[in-house]
Amino acid sequence: MISMVLTLLRNPLVLAVIKMFVAIGVVMSAVPMLVWLERKLSARFQRRIGPNRVGPMGLLQSIADAIKLMWKEDFFPRNTDRLIFLAAPIMAFLPGIISFSLIPVGQAEGAEWLGPNGVMAVSYLEMGLLVMMAVSSLASYGLAFGGWASNSQYPLLGGIRSSAQLISYEIVMGMAVIALAMKSGTLNLSEIATQQQGWYLPHWNLFLQPLTFLLFLIAAFAETNRAPFDLPEAEQELVGGYHTEYTGMRYAWFMLGEYAGLWTMCSVIATLFLGGWTLPAAWMGWVGHFPWFVAALISFGIFIAKVVALVFFFMWVRWTLPRFRWDQLMKLGWTILIPLALANILITALLMEYGGLYVR
Amino acid sequence: MYSYENEVVEQTENTVHLNVGPSHPAMHGTLRVKMEVRGERVIKAEQEIGYLHTGFEKLGEYRSYNQFITLTDRLNYFSPLNNNIGFAVAVEELLGLVPPRRCQVIRTLLAELSRLADHSLCVGALAMDLGAFTSILWTFVEREKLYDVFEAVTGTRLTTSYTRVGGIAFDLPEGFESRVIAILDSMESTVEKLRGSFYKNRIFLDRTEGTGIITKEDIESFGITGPMARASGVAYDLRKYRPYLIYDELEFKVPTYTEGDSLARYKVRLDEMDESIKIIRQALKLLEPGPINALDQKHALPDKLSTYRDMESMIHHFKMIMPGSEHGLHTPVTDLYSSTEAPNGELGFHIVSDGTSNPWRIRIRGCSMLNYPIFGRLMEGSMLSDLVAILASFNIIAGELDR
């Protein structure tokens, strides 16, 4: 029976379908947990208790919220462009899942049929980093279209803010990634992850490329529209920004999109800067004694732990810092971060050429 | 030109009409601002009031002096005790009545506690409006403790109605001092925490420094008082300028800044909280046992307990409470303006008395009413996001605005 299943799994088509379902499943089950985590953590920061009624420790709160939202009135504001209005939430949500499918989440050594070297990723691409950048920036369309299609001032302002912000910070992120790609010499996400393994100490890019990490992190905050870069939403100014006119499940899609984006962005940072699923090799030797699926689970656990730590950091920042003003945001992006990113590329190049650092 | 809610709006080139409020997350209460914006830049802003019209001044003509105290609760509903005390002080000045020492100390204590509650909400709300939601919940915890004390003292949390003409409704409960001291300690640490989180926070400074600058001349021409005036370098504080209650015996400073921007207003409020804590610590030492109501049966209500126990007090009580021209307070035919320092500025009552038990007219000088008009002018030319940074630093309370 088990051997039959394993034979079936070795069929690439079946495997691809299963992988896709797993990737969607991971994101879709992560999102309610993130919402719960955000609410619990914010409660901790604010000397509150947080959700504790639905399920143990309020764990089922997000499910209850989703059920409530599904039963809400299906509301369209007057004079909206229905097609775009309907498509916007989906467009905001999909990039999160698609870019997560590029990220290697673990390694099952010896299970070559899972992927090259047993790397667990839905799509193992040589230019994974590039595709990830391309897909994740698509989310801004959802926000901009949602703001435009609502036919109201507040959402429109939110939509404009989001497109301006995403364009500016996309450049910063792209430039940060250039420096990283120069250092790594590859765009393959799993190779970037394994390069950072080291023997005793981690050779994480976080330590080798601190400036790149900082730039990427700031851009990631802007990309995910989280405080202090949550201008498109700006509850106190624009009521809800781009999703002011959205109700019920369509509003929920925007929220899902935000958290899916957060989850994916944290996965990307974990892969690029914290070594993905790896820990220093000296500590990982014992994993080799286990069968492949146990090793897979352990590496997946390490990956998730890193991602959750990053998510915690994102939430910590959100509930601590105030929000930028629009012109200050642009000023920071164009006059500080972009020159810094250019300098970073130069520094990396000089270090590679003359410094003898980053020798591959 | 197009019609918007029955108002014809003249639309200039490339601008969008943006209506903020009266129902909007940043419009605490029911404020409304009509704006012409070009992108994020505000070209024209005009504030509109009247969405919480209550008619207190007109209602006052049909209430006796003691009944009007319940209406003052609803003026600035974040510091009702200050309003109660302000009105009682005004009526006592009208009658030439001096309440006993203990009553004055208790009033001072509660006025400062109430000021702490008001300021703690305002400083929390400013950071919340800028996106740092956590600070308001920190200050809310402190405010909640204060409200518990108010509940223990007055019986209610919000509509306190604590003062009476010539006295107060009840004496302080058991354990009041220890409770207050515990609150002061935690309040001090919260104020320090707020300073730590925001005084060096680059984003917070960028948002508040230089936004909504009010000059000294504007303060004088608009009649702005309170923390807003003190943030612009006008050290006008009625507690120092024209001391009432026991403020002349207490040592405290009037924190003043000269910048006149949102940050200065924030800092003034935090510094005033420190000063209030100092005042309360001093006033607690002056608290001695004694009567709480003035022994002037023609003007002040007798103690509740003696009303039930001896006949004279009951007769006096009856004569004071009953409606009709032959009953109630005996007032001179005169008019008088008296003002006290409320958390947001000068809270004045102009009472015109015709000798009957009801005032002929009470005119209230609400602090928010005079602090608000400059807002539209400050908004012109600033960014849309400055709306929240400026408005929250004003601490406009709609109850005081529309009387």
Side-chain angles (χ1 to χ4, degrees):
Chain A
M1 179 66 195
I2 291 170
S3 63
M4 237 176 77
V5 172
L6 284 175
T7 335
L8 200 62
L9 276 176
R10 278 167 172 73
N11 183 334
L13 202 66
V14 175
L15 190 64
V17 172
I18 289 174
K19 274 174 167 180
M20 278 192 306
F21 274 107
V22 169
I24 294 173
V26 167
V27 177
M28 290 299 272
S29 54
V31 165
M33 294 308 293
L34 288 190
V35 176
W36 173 83
L37 189 68
E38 173 116 66
R39 295 181 64 170
K40 271 291 184 193
L41 279 179
S42 64
R44 281 277 159 200
F45 296 142
Q46 298 169 348
R47 298 156 82 173
R48 295 186 285 119
I49 298 166
N52 67 345
R53 295 285 132 180
V54 194
M57 298 190 297
L59 266 167
L60 300 177
Q61 185 64 45
S62 311
I63 314 287
D65 286 346
I67 292 171
K68 184 196 80 174
L69 285 168
M70 272 179 217
W71 288 94
K72 288 276 173 187
E73 187 192 346
D74 193 27
F75 172 76
F76 279 98
R78 245 183 311 176
N79 302 328
T80 50
D81 190 328
R82 288 230 176 179
L83 184 68
I84 299 180
F85 190 77
L86 280 171
I90 311 291
M91 288 172 75
F93 173 67
L94 280 182
I97 287 187
I98 296 175
S99 35
F100 187 73
S101 72
L102 296 160
I103 293 160
V105 293
Q107 193 179 18
E109 271 183 79
E112 282 292 327
W113 50 272
L114 259 174
N117 296 326
V119 169
M120 303 193 294
V122 178
S123 38
Y124 183 90
L125 291 177
E126 278 305 322
M127 69 297 208
L129 188 52
L130 216 55
V131 176
M132 192 278 302
M133 294 286 295
V135 173
S136 66
S137 58
L138 286 177
S140 75
Y141 281 105
L143 272 52
F145 285 177
W148 173 255
S150 299
N151 188 34
S152 165
Q153 286 102 327
Y154 290 115
L156 182 62
L157 278 168
I160 294 169
R161 279 181 179 191
S162 97
S163 30
Q165 175 178 326
L166 285 161
I167 288 167
S168 320
Y169 283 79
E170 191 71 28
I171 298 171
V172 178
M173 189 179 261
M175 286 182 172
V177 161
I178 288 174
L180 189 76
M182 279 161 67
K183 182 252 155 191
S184 311
T186 174
L187 290 173
N188 187 327
L189 286 167
S190 60
E191 258 179 54
I192 294 176
T194 40
Q195 275 176 11
Q196 300 172 52
Q197 196 168 15
W199 182 249
Y200 281 113
L201 288 170
H203 288 182
W204 289 356
N205 286 334
L206 166 64
F207 307 120
L208 296 179
Q209 294 243 302
L211 188 56
T212 312
F213 173 71
L214 202 66
L215 289 166
F216 195 92
L217 189 72
I218 294 171
F221 272 107
E223 286 275 298
T224 48
N225 285 323
R226 295 190 54 91
F229 297 97
D230 59 343
L231 282 94
E233 216 178 301
E235 193 200 328
Q236 283 83 11
E237 295 151 30
L238 302 182
V239 189
Y242 56 91
H243 63 60
T244 306
E245 302 287 344
Y246 281 88
T247 54
M249 220 35 218
R250 278 197 288 278
Y251 162 76
W253 279 110
F254 270 127
M255 283 293 105
L256 288 175
E258 191 190 318
Y259 284 98
L262 173 67
W263 178 255
T264 308
M265 199 48 82
C266 288
S267 313
V268 172
I269 297 176
T271 309
L272 295 184
F273 296 97
L274 302 183
W277 71 86
T278 62
L279 280 183
W283 309 342
M284 296 290 286
W286 49 274
V287 177
H289 303 301
F290 292 114
W292 64 270
F293 50 89
V294 179
L297 274 181
I298 289 171
S299 58
F300 184 63
I302 293 168
F303 177 76
I304 294 290
K306 285 176 181 173
V307 175
V308 170
L310 280 167
V311 165
F312 173 79
F313 177 72
F314 269 64
M315 288 175 178
W316 188 11
V317 169
R318 173 175 175 180
W319 294 104
T320 309
L321 291 182
R323 180 185 303 122
F324 280 102
R325 201 168 67 196
W326 190 72
D327 57 327
Q328 290 161 354
L329 182 87
M330 290 291 122
K331 214 169 117 190
L332 176 73
W334 289 93
T335 66
I336 300 175
L337 292 184
I338 289 180
L340 213 60
L342 283 169
N344 184 36
I345 294 174
L346 193 68
I347 293 167
T348 313
L350 288 175
L351 284 177
M352 283 170 72
E353 190 62 33
Y354 300 108
L357 278 172
Y358 309 145
V359 179
R360 287 189 295 275
Chain B
M1 203 162 85
Y2 60 96
S3 167
Y4 186 86
E5 280 182 11
N6 304 328
E7 296 163 29
V8 178
V9 179
E10 204 65 54
Q11 198 180 18
T12 47
E13 218 179 323
N14 289 331
T15 59
V16 175
H17 185 75
L18 189 66
N19 178 53
V20 185
S23 173
H24 184 278
M27 296 286 145
H28 306 289
T30 52
L31 313 174
R32 181 187 175 195
V33 185
K34 293 185 285 180
M35 290 195 291
E36 289 285 324
V37 293
R38 184 180 292 146
E40 294 262 333
R41 187 70 65 184
V42 179
I43 305 298
K44 218 175 103 213
E46 191 185 327
Q47 67 276 45
E48 196 174 293
I49 63 168
Y51 288 94
L52 196 71
H53 188 69
T54 44
F56 291 151
E57 291 179 357
K58 188 70 190 165
L59 279 170
E61 296 170 21
Y62 303 93
R63 300 279 185 284
S64 73
Y65 287 96
N66 274 322
Q67 282 173 331
F68 188 77
I69 288 166
T70 56
L71 294 180
T72 61
D73 289 339
R74 281 112 177 133
L75 276 175
N76 176 351
Y77 37 74
F78 288 121
S79 51
L81 280 162
N82 285 91
N83 308 332
N84 295 162
I85 292 162
F87 182 69
V89 167
V91 178
E92 280 152 19
E93 254 176 62
L94 181 86
L95 302 171
L97 195 66
V98 181
R101 173 85 181 160
R102 184 174 169 82
C103 165
Q104 299 217 16
V105 177
I106 291 174
R107 280 183 184 179
T108 313
L109 271 171
L110 289 173
E112 292 308 316
L113 284 172
S114 187
R115 190 186 313 279
L116 275 179
D118 192 292
H119 280 353
S120 65
L121 188 87
C122 177
V123 292
L126 174 64
M128 178 191 74
D129 280 352
L130 296 179
F133 197 86
T134 303
S135 82
I136 195 172
L137 286 145
W138 287 0
T139 56
F140 239 81
V141 171
E142 303 305 325
R143 185 171 167 268
E144 202 60 26
K145 290 180 198 159
L146 283 171
Y147 270 50
D148 285 342
V149 168
F150 295 156
E151 189 181 9
V153 175
T154 69
T156 46
R157 297 168 73 81
L158 190 75
T159 52
T160 48
S161 301
Y162 184 52
T163 57
R164 298 287 180 269
V165 175
I168 46 179
F170 326 98
D171 207 339
L172 294 177
E174 298 264 316
F176 172 79
E177 286 180 45
S178 55
R179 270 177 95 167
V180 168
I181 286 170
I183 290 172
L184 294 185
D185 291 341
S186 68
M187 185 69 98
E188 258 172 357
S189 80
T190 304
V191 170
E192 274 316 305
K193 262 190 216 163
L194 287 177
R195 286 208 175 99
S197 348
F198 294 122
Y199 273 26
K200 280 181 184 162
N201 186 326
R202 195 66 252 165
I203 305 174
F204 184 81
L205 292 179
D206 279 348
R207 288 294 302 274
T208 51
E209 225 170 5
T211 48
I213 295 177
I214 307 177
T215 60
K216 217 169 173 173
E217 291 74 45
D218 285 338
I219 295 288
E220 279 152 19
S221 60
F222 278 83
I224 294 168
T225 50
M228 279 174 70
R230 295 193 277 276
S232 296
V234 180
Y236 179 67
D237 189 326
L238 284 164
R239 291 174 294 174
K240 280 271 189 217
Y241 183 72
R242 198 171 66 82
Y244 53 97
L245 298 176
I246 57 162
Y247 281 114
D248 46 352
E249 300 169 33
L250 304 169
E251 259 182 53
F252 62 98
K253 288 198 288 283
V254 180
T256 319
Y257 288 83
T258 48
E259 291 87 354
D261 53 4
S262 289
L263 182 65
R265 291 192 277 276
Y266 184 80
K267 284 181 175 173
V268 162
R269 285 213 166 80
L270 279 184
D271 291 356
E272 271 185 27
M273 286 170 81
D274 279 347
E275 295 303 318
S276 285
I277 290 169
K278 261 192 238 165
I279 293 174
I280 295 165
R281 286 197 200 283
Q282 291 172 48
L284 277 175
K285 292 196 187 100
L286 299 175
L287 203 60
E288 283 156 11
I292 53 165
N293 286 327
L295 281 171
D296 183 340
Q297 271 86 3
K298 296 291 175 220
H299 299 125
L301 281 166
D303 282 346
K304 203 74 185 166
L305 206 63
S306 56
T307 309
Y308 292 133
R309 289 191 179 165
D310 70 82
M311 193 164 159
E312 284 78 11
S313 296
M314 195 185 158
I315 292 167
H316 289 310
H317 181 89
F318 181 82
K319 287 292 283 180
M320 288 281 287
I321 293 295
M322 284 299 285
S325 55
E326 69 275 20
H327 302 290
L329 247 73
H330 293 253
T331 52
V333 182
T334 178
D335 70 321
L336 170 129
Y337 175 78
S338 161
S339 56
T340 52
E341 185 70 25
N344 280 334
E346 179 177 347
L347 175 72
F349 292 94
H350 184 194
I351 305 172
V352 183
S353 143
D354 58 355
T356 60
S357 58
N358 291 4
W360 186 76
R361 173 93 164 92
I362 292 181
R363 159 84 190 158
I364 303 162
R365 183 214 187 274
C367 351
S368 298
M369 181 69 200
L370 281 103
N371 291 353
Y372 196 33
I374 199 171
F375 176 70
R377 222 187 66 192
L378 292 182
M379 273 312 291
E380 278 166 26
S382 46
M383 306 289 283
L384 180 63
S385 307
D386 289 337
L387 172 90
V388 287
I390 298 174
L391 191 64
S393 72
F394 276 32
N395 196 18
I396 303 296
I397 311 295
E400 217 174 16
L401 206 57
D402 309 334
R403 307 159 326 266

